[in-house]
Every structure is written in C-alpha cells, then in structure tokens.
Amino acid sequence: MNRTRLDRLLGDTDTDGYLLDASQDDANQLYLSGFTGPDPFLTLYADGEIHVLVSGLEYGRARTEAAADTVERHADYDYEYGGREERYDMYARFVRENGVESVSMPPRGPVGTADALRERGIDVVVDDEDVLEEVRAVKTDEEIAAIRDAQHANEAAMRAAESLLAEADVAGGGGASSDAVADGDTSDTGDVDAVEPGTLLHDGEPLTSERVAEEIEVTLLRHGCALDETIVAGGAQAADPHDRGSGPLRANEPIIVDVFPRSKATKYHADMTRTFCVGEPDSEAREWYDLTERALDAALDAVEPGATGEDVHAAACEVYEAAGEPTFRTDPETETGFIHSTGHGIGLAVHESPRLSSGAGELEPGHVVTVEPGLYDPAVGGVRLEDLVVVTEDGHENLTEYPIEFVV
Amino acid sequence: MNRTRLDRLLGDTDTDGYLLDASQDDANQLYLSGFTGPDPFLTLYADGEIHVLVSGLEYGRARTEAAADTVERHADYDYEYGGREERYDMYARFVRENGVESVSMPPRGPVGTADALRERGIDVVVDDEDVLEEVRAVKTDEEIAAIRDAQHANEAAMRAAESLLAEADVAGGGGASSDAVADGDTSDTGDVDAVEPGTLLHDGEPLTSERVAEEIEVTLLRHGCALDETIVAGGAQAADPHDRGSGPLRANEPIIVDVFPRSKATKYHADMTRTFCVGEPDSEAREWYDLTERALDAALDAVEPGATGEDVHAAACEVYEAAGEPTFRTDPETETGFIHSTGHGIGLAVHESPRLSSGAGELEPGHVVTVEPGLYDPAVGGVRLEDLVVVTEDGHENLTEYPIEFVV
C-alpha cells in the first residue's frame, strides 16, 4: 500500500473519517484493510490510523492478516449475531469510539449502513471522487511485481490456448480431419448436429470455446491464479466485445482470446488479449489485424507520464480513423468499428482507474493500464490485441511477453 | 424465477418500484435481471414488469439474455460515457419514465445512487428486510436441479481430494515414505525446511493444502464449475472455521475439506464439507468426529417444513452440549466447541436466506440449506461435516451423495 498517498488523499476529505462496509470482494476494502474477509466487515480510516471491526469468526485471522492499526470484534461491543438495529448501533459506537462524528463513504458503499448511521446522528457524505480508487491507481513496486507475476501465469495460459488451436484438425479439410468427421457419431442426433466443414476438431470432437476456456483456466490454476470468466469468441460472437463465446470454433476466421486472471496469493490481476486464426484469414480480417497491431503500437508509444488517457485513446483512434474505420470519436452511435475505450487501470480490481478514453486525465508513474484496441463487425467478426503496461518515470514498461501472431 | 412469489413480495413494498444498481456479482441482480453484466447496471421492478438499463457495450447480449420485459441502453437517454452527474440524471429519467417516483433499494445497494436519486426528487427507501433475498430463498424445481448438478460436480472434486490424501505417503513412516524423505533436497535450505516426520507426501514432496485445493479446483473446472477459495485445513488451522489452510498437511490429524463451487452455466452454488484423517486419529479427534456425525444426523432429522432454523440449530447444539462441548447457546463468548451456526441457505449466493441459527424463522418447501455442525479447538484441530438439503413438502431431500468416513 502507498501509505503516503493514502494519508494525503484520505486526509483531504471534509469528514473525520473514511468508512468501508464491504467484504474482500470490494477492492477498496481489500486494499485498506488488507483482510480477506468473505463477509462484509467495517474498516474505518481516521487520524492516520486504520481500524477494523469483524465478527468473532474472523477475529483470529483478521488479527494476523489485516494491515490495520486496531482490530476489534463484535463481542467488544457486546453484539450477538442476529439483530439488525443492534448491529447498526454497534457500527455507530465503533465509529464514535474512534473519535469520528462524520464519515465519507465511497459511492458504492451500502445505503443501508449509510442511512442507519445518519439516523444515529453520524454525518455520512458520499465521496463521489472515490478517492481510494485514486490511491489504488498508483502502484508500489511490490504491487507491480504482483501484477507482473500474474501476467506470467497469463502467458502460460495463452500458450495453452494457442497450442490447442494450433493442434486442431479442421472438419472437411484434409486427411485426418475427414477421418475425424467420418468417426463422429452423428447418427442419433440427425443432421443438425453434424459437424460443418471448417469446424475445428480436437480428438475428433468439435473444439468449442468452452473447451479452450477450460484449458486456459486449468493452466491458470496450475500457476496459482483463478479466473471465472474467459473470453474465447470466434466469428460473429467476437464482434460483441463482452461475448464470452460458446460452441464450436471455426477455421479461417479470427478467434479472440481475452484472459484476465487474479493471483490467489496476492489478489492482483493481469489481463491480455490475442486474436488467432487457424488457417488463412480472408483479406478483410487480415487487414483488420494489421490495423489493430498498428493501433496497439501507436497507443503504446503514447503511454508516458504527463500524457493523458485521452491522448493514448486518440493515438489508437487515429490509426483506425485514417483507414476509414468508425470510432466513437467519429460516430458516438456506431455499433461497428472501434467501439470501446483503449484501456483501463488494473490491480485488485480488473477494471479500475485510470481510464484510457475520451476525457481521461494524466498518466502518472506507477499507473498500470491495459492497452487494447480492437475492431468489431458481425459481418467480419472481431479482432483485439491487448498488452499490459506500467507507466514509468520516462515512458512505460510492457509487462507482457507474448508474440503478436495472427495465424496459428 | 418464482414469479408469483416475486410479484407478491415486491408488490408489498410501500414504494412504486424496486431498484437495483449492481453487476452480476450481486445475487439479487442476477436473479431479477437474469443478465450476466460484468459492470453495474440498473434493474427496476415496477407494476409487475422488469426493466433493465445497460451500456451500449452490453445491449446486444442483454436483449438476448435478460429475463426482463424491457431492455434499454444509455444511448436511449442520450448519455455518453463519462459524466457522473449526467449518469445520475439518466438514472432518474429511467426511473421516472417507467412511472416511478419512489423506489425501494436493498440494504447493500449503492449509497451514491440512492443519494443522487434523492437529490433529483425521487424518494429512496432502504428495504431493510431485503425482500428479494426472501424471494430467492424458495427455489423452483429448475433452481433445485441446478444446485443438485453443482453438488454432483462437488462430489467429483471431493473424491479427487480424498484420493490425493488416501494415496499420500507419510514422512518418517514406512518404506516408501522414508525413501521420499531421503530423496528430498533439503541441502540448500537447511534444517528449517526439512520434512518433519508425519508430513504427508505426494511424489516425494510435502502434500500441501494448496496442492489439494488445486486438485479440487481443476476437477471442478472439468465439471463446469468454478471456485476461487477452497478450504483444506489441517491441524490448528482447522480450528479456525474460515481458515483456508496452507502449507504441508500431516497424518493422524483431522483435515477439513470444505468446497463451495458455482456452476458456470447456471451460476448456482453447491457446498459440502468432509473431514478426513490419513492414518489413525487420536481418541479425542475420533470422539469429535463421532459426535459431529451424530449432530449432523440430528440436525438433518429436524429439517422439515414448519420447523424453524432455530430448531435445526438446537438439534445440533443438543448433541454437543450433552457431551459437554461448549456452544454459543451455553457460552456466547466461547472460542472453542461449536462456534458457528448450523447452516445457511444457498443459491445464486453461497450464503443466503434462510439461516439455521438462534432466532431463525420457519423453513418452507423449496428452501435449500447446508447443515454443517463442527467442533473446533486449536489444541485438537477441527472437525466439520456438511450436507446440502432441500426442504420438501413432508421433510427434506439430501442432495449430497458422499460417504461419511473419517480415516482414509
């Protein structure tokens, strides 16, 4: 944790304290408390100290694990499990006994707790700037090392995915593939389930998005990372940037593989996207890939301290716009072309500050951001390339060591 | 979704509508919208209809996937990405254009949105009862089937864990184990890293909690389930019910394995705990295991419609108390003995309504609950057994098909 930055930014709020009521699923909570509590608990920052209040069940672990100056448990406030009003009474006492009469809460803090504290005479102000997210945006060397480690695991997972694709047979193609089709048992399900020519095959079965995602996730687990959702999307599915992909994959069309795991040990994330094509893509997909590689390079070149997120986004947009592809800058309503921002900060949350988009502010050393231009159109499919970089004193360092190659 | 129950319970609130601002990570949101949006979005229930508002990036998927009557996107309100106040203006318009001037929000809804709507003249009331969680508590046949499927995947994972433990060698024990120790390279790390007698060994290396958890999680992935945190805790670690466990496992002491995966397809959870001992436990651990098996049976016997969660909890407590073990009923401050509730509802969230604890209300057909008594003391370790059951019209059905056997 960057304690100097924390003290400066949290000390700047107009209230006596900063209050979180959340579980470890909330990145602010994980950052401020350092505690991996599975159920919501309170963390109060006041007068430069961090105070944590947990249930008896969590007390032992919290005392060992939390990065807090004090750790208290419900029993210290004579609270027994059950009553809602009594729980809020305890929360108000916890706040007051730490010398606090007014608290800031982040915008996504729970309204139930906010209103209950207000009813008990404590002033609760929404911190619209989400100052803790701003604190989190600038990483320490230790945090950068954690993200780098997660990206190394990610590289292993991407290799596993690429290998599965590279080793796939193609239905209706040459010898082995035709055999595989002939071997396939399509008799009881009829024609609808027959394997279409061009379908990728693995061990004689259609190679699906789900199967590739499983290989990625198993590889991540073997490398100490977890991931619930992976994007492996081909064809028209790839034209929707948030479609996770499903069903059989096909040759000769772009397949987007976007992997964003979290280290189990450090809880920090990584993020990488590659687009692969098994066999030759058509000329438009090839052109899209080359454009996207140029957009990636242009955006990466723009990442340095003092540049804004908007500058980096503009660098990617300009490459696409010069080639006549629509972007949100030329047409805010477009549903094809470059239809998302160029990137986002990453850390304890997959998406966090800073943004690389129109209106986004200055980059600082220690910011860790994805750079991920892409093109989308259901008629062509989708292409996206994504690296993960850290802003340094004099530019940036790319944390991603994975080749950029389309055809596998 | 149980639409009749939804309409009855949500229709009972004193406001015009019920509003959620959350991502798919929130079980209420997933339930009401049916949409797996990775970023927070709005869902409004009003006049028996469900209205969803998403960003342009999610619109295509939301139209296909959401269980909503209407799906709108930000562009329908001329909102472009960026401005915070403009976003709240859009939210207020979305609420009003659906004929709503007052909304209920669950206690954990975001205070930023609640306050912003209030500033815009919309009355926001905290639904302290969390009515949607009450709706969710009673499962349809389809939901029960989803949980049953997840529990089957869980059984496969538990078998994988048990096999790893059963096949482990023991350092300092017999032939193979001694060899394994002799093979171990301890020369560069010195005595502190030497394998202690009694340590479990797998392929000549200490078998760790992390290694068993990895096996569980890989097995779950192969069965279409995901899980970020698994408990594999032996020795004193097992005495803390929320300790996930780490480091080498040992023979002759209880090892708690608690697995609570989520189906990737349905998003419903399962939950199961077994306690294993490699080799013979001491007499106290054996007594604890037998007591806990009796507590489990007694609690299961008590699960039927009309019984309260408190009744079920009491049934487990009575077994322990009769044997002289402390419970929260006999000593609210105890840190050893039976130091948690007997169980919890499970569904889209791992922990949800109803509770099996002091003060908990009546069970109804369709409730799905864990039953998980246990005993804890750092001097002995921990023992817990957990089955997953559904309350039926005339009792309950156990969704867990896994033997209860201590020594492996």
Side-chain angles (χ1 to χ4, degrees):
Chain A
M1 193 199 297
N2 189 327
R3 193 66 192 245
T4 314
R5 192 173 160 85
L6 180 81
D7 289 334
R8 180 163 55 81
L9 286 174
L10 285 194
D12 267 0
T13 58
D14 293 331
T15 49
D16 305 338
Y18 202 96
L19 183 70
L20 300 178
D21 173 2
S23 74
Q24 61 168 339
D25 295 338
D26 179 82
N28 282 340
Q29 180 65 287
L30 198 53
Y31 188 85
L32 189 62
S33 70
F35 178 56
T36 57
D39 297 313
F41 61 96
L42 295 195
T43 300
L44 177 69
Y45 176 91
D47 259 343
E49 294 209 326
I50 299 169
H51 308 281
V52 163
L53 176 66
V54 296
S55 72
L57 199 53
E58 305 293 355
Y59 185 59
R61 259 190 341 111
R63 266 189 306 186
T64 315
E65 196 185 291
D69 297 289
T70 70
V71 175
E72 292 181 286
R73 61 182 139 181
H74 294 176
D76 296 329
Y77 293 85
D78 302 319
Y79 173 79
E80 284 174 41
Y81 182 78
R84 182 177 60 235
E85 295 304 317
E86 292 76 11
R87 172 178 278 260
Y88 288 140
D89 289 343
M90 168 176 66
Y91 287 0
R93 276 187 58 202
F94 167 71
V95 167
R96 286 217 167 87
E97 293 190 8
N98 281 297
V100 168
E101 286 294 329
S102 64
V103 293
S104 298
M105 287 179 78
R108 301 205 67 81
V111 61
T113 303
D115 280 8
L117 291 177
R118 287 165 175 161
E119 281 162 20
R120 286 158 179 80
I122 291 167
D123 193 23
V124 178
V125 176
V126 175
D127 165 30
D128 276 321
E129 305 300 326
D130 207 339
V131 161
L132 261 176
E133 191 179 345
E134 290 315 302
V135 176
R136 282 163 37 213
V138 174
K139 271 72 178 176
T140 62
D141 289 346
E142 195 182 352
E143 292 176 287
I144 293 166
I147 295 169
R148 190 194 304 269
D149 285 350
Q151 188 75 329
H152 285 328
N154 213 0
E155 288 153 8
M158 189 64 79
R159 270 192 295 277
E162 184 176 346
S163 296
L164 254 189
L165 293 172
E167 290 158 13
D169 296 313
V170 181
S177 320
S178 300
D179 287 356
V181 175
D183 287 348
D185 176 15
T186 58
S187 53
D188 16 331
T189 46
D191 269 355
V192 282
D193 278 17
V195 177
E196 280 183 33
T199 302
L200 299 185
L201 301 172
H202 178 78
D203 290 343
E205 295 287 322
L207 179 61
T208 61
S209 293
E210 292 87 343
R211 179 67 187 78
V212 178
E214 182 183 311
E215 198 63 26
I216 288 168
E217 293 172 15
V218 168
T219 306
L220 289 173
L221 275 178
R222 298 291 189 200
H223 287 78
C225 285
L227 174 62
D228 191 10
E229 294 193 333
T230 306
I231 295 173
V232 180
Q237 291 175 356
D240 179 343
H242 275 196
D243 194 319
R244 290 109 181 170
S246 62
L249 295 163
R250 300 178 53 75
N252 310 115
E253 62 184 27
I255 298 167
I256 290 180
V257 180
D258 186 348
V259 190
F260 36 97
R262 184 168 85 145
S263 160
K264 283 166 168 282
T266 67
K267 311 292 183 191
Y268 281 83
H269 291 80
D271 201 347
M272 186 188 349
T273 305
R274 289 295 181 264
T275 301
F276 301 115
C277 187
V278 180
E280 282 306 309
D282 65 24
S283 62
E284 188 159 15
R286 164 60 74 187
E287 190 190 323
W288 276 28
Y289 192 91
D290 294 341
L291 262 181
T292 300
E293 187 172 353
R294 282 173 46 211
L296 175 65
D297 288 341
L300 285 172
D301 278 349
V303 174
E304 59 184 13
T308 63
E310 176 156 2
D311 294 337
V312 179
H313 183 55
C317 287
E318 279 158 18
V319 171
Y320 287 135
E321 290 162 7
E325 298 295 342
T327 73
F328 277 151
R329 302 200 314 172
T330 56
D331 176 6
E333 311 233 322
T334 184
E335 295 185 358
T336 63
F338 181 32
I339 53 173
H340 52 68
S341 69
T342 294
H344 54 83
I346 190 165
L348 292 172
V350 187
H351 294 146
E352 58 181 44
S353 221
R355 310 281 157 174
L356 304 182
S357 58
S358 295
E362 269 194 22
L363 296 175
E364 293 179 48
H367 279 164
V368 177
V369 292
T370 69
V371 179
E372 47 177 317
L375 284 176
Y376 310 89
D377 183 343
V380 182
V383 169
R384 181 166 66 255
L385 294 170
E386 175 185 34
D387 278 2
L388 182 58
V389 307
V390 54
V391 180
T392 58
E393 292 296 335
D394 55 0
H396 69 269
E397 183 194 352
N398 198 325
L399 301 178
T400 321
E401 293 172 17
Y402 202 90
I404 293 187
E405 272 172 45
F406 192 21
V407 176
V408 298
Chain B
M1 196 199 296
N2 190 328
R3 192 65 191 244
T4 313
R5 190 172 162 84
L6 180 79
D7 289 334
R8 181 164 55 81
L9 287 175
L10 285 195
D12 267 359
T13 58
D14 293 330
T15 48
D16 304 340
Y18 201 96
L19 183 70
L20 300 178
D21 173 3
S23 75
Q24 62 170 335
D25 295 337
D26 179 83
N28 282 339
Q29 179 65 287
L30 199 53
Y31 187 85
L32 189 61
S33 71
F35 177 55
T36 56
D39 298 312
F41 60 96
L42 294 195
T43 300
L44 178 69
Y45 177 92
D47 257 346
E49 294 209 325
I50 299 169
H51 309 282
V52 163
L53 175 66
V54 295
S55 73
L57 199 55
E58 305 294 354
Y59 184 59
R61 260 190 339 111
R63 266 189 308 186
T64 315
E65 197 186 289
D69 297 289
T70 69
V71 176
E72 292 181 286
R73 61 182 140 179
H74 294 176
D76 296 330
Y77 292 86
D78 302 320
Y79 172 78
E80 286 174 41
Y81 181 75
R84 182 178 59 235
E85 295 303 316
E86 292 76 8
R87 172 177 277 261
Y88 289 140
D89 289 344
M90 167 175 69
Y91 288 0
R93 277 187 58 203
F94 167 71
V95 167
R96 285 218 167 86
E97 293 189 9
N98 281 299
V100 168
E101 287 292 328
S102 63
V103 293
S104 298
M105 287 179 78
R108 300 205 66 82
V111 61
T113 304
D115 280 9
L117 291 177
R118 287 166 175 162
E119 282 162 20
R120 286 158 179 78
I122 290 167
D123 193 23
V124 178
V125 177
V126 175
D127 165 31
D128 276 322
E129 304 300 327
D130 206 341
V131 160
L132 260 176
E133 191 178 347
E134 291 315 301
V135 176
R136 283 164 35 215
V138 174
K139 270 72 177 177
T140 62
D141 290 346
E142 196 183 351
E143 291 175 289
I144 293 166
I147 295 169
R148 188 193 306 269
D149 285 350
Q151 189 74 328
H152 285 328
N154 214 1
E155 288 153 9
M158 190 64 80
R159 269 191 296 276
E162 184 176 346
S163 296
L164 254 189
L165 292 172
E167 292 160 12
D169 295 314
V170 181
S177 318
S178 301
D179 287 355
V181 175
D183 287 347
D185 176 15
T186 57
S187 51
D188 15 331
T189 45
D191 268 355
V192 283
D193 278 18
V195 177
E196 280 182 32
T199 303
L200 299 185
L201 301 171
H202 177 77
D203 290 344
E205 294 288 321
L207 180 60
T208 60
S209 293
E210 292 88 343
R211 178 67 187 79
V212 178
E214 181 182 313
E215 199 63 26
I216 289 168
E217 294 173 15
V218 167
T219 307
L220 289 172
L221 274 178
R222 298 292 189 200
H223 287 79
C225 285
L227 174 61
D228 191 10
E229 293 192 336
T230 305
I231 294 173
V232 180
Q237 291 176 356
D240 178 344
H242 275 196
D243 194 319
R244 289 108 180 171
S246 61
L249 295 163
R250 300 178 53 76
N252 310 114
E253 63 184 25
I255 298 167
I256 292 180
V257 181
D258 186 349
V259 190
F260 37 98
R262 185 168 84 145
S263 159
K264 284 166 169 282
T266 67
K267 311 292 182 191
Y268 280 83
H269 291 81
D271 201 347
M272 186 189 347
T273 305
R274 289 294 180 265
T275 301
F276 301 115
C277 188
V278 179
E280 281 307 309
D282 65 24
S283 62
E284 188 158 15
R286 163 60 73 188
E287 190 189 325
W288 276 28
Y289 193 91
D290 293 342
L291 262 180
T292 300
E293 186 172 355
R294 282 172 47 212
L296 175 66
D297 287 343
L300 286 172
D301 278 349
V303 175
E304 60 184 12
T308 63
E310 176 157 2
D311 294 337
V312 179
H313 183 55
C317 287
E318 280 157 17
V319 171
Y320 287 136
E321 289 162 7
E325 298 294 341
T327 73
F328 277 151
R329 301 198 319 172
T330 56
D331 177 4
E333 312 231 324
T334 184
E335 295 184 359
T336 63
F338 181 33
I339 53 173
H340 52 70
S341 68
T342 294
H344 54 84
I346 191 165
L348 292 173
V350 187
H351 294 146
E352 59 181 44
S353 221
R355 310 279 157 176
L356 305 182
S357 58
S358 295
E362 269 194 23
L363 295 174
E364 293 179 48
H367 279 165
V368 177
V369 292
T370 69
V371 179
E372 46 177 317
L375 284 177
Y376 309 89
D377 183 343
V380 182
V383 169
R384 180 164 69 253
L385 294 170
E386 176 185 32
D387 278 3
L388 182 59
V389 307
V390 54
V391 181
T392 58
E393 292 296 335
D394 54 0
H396 69 270
E397 183 193 352
N398 197 325
L399 301 178
T400 321
E401 293 172 18
Y402 202 90
I404 293 185
E405 272 173 46
F406 192 21
V407 176
V408 297

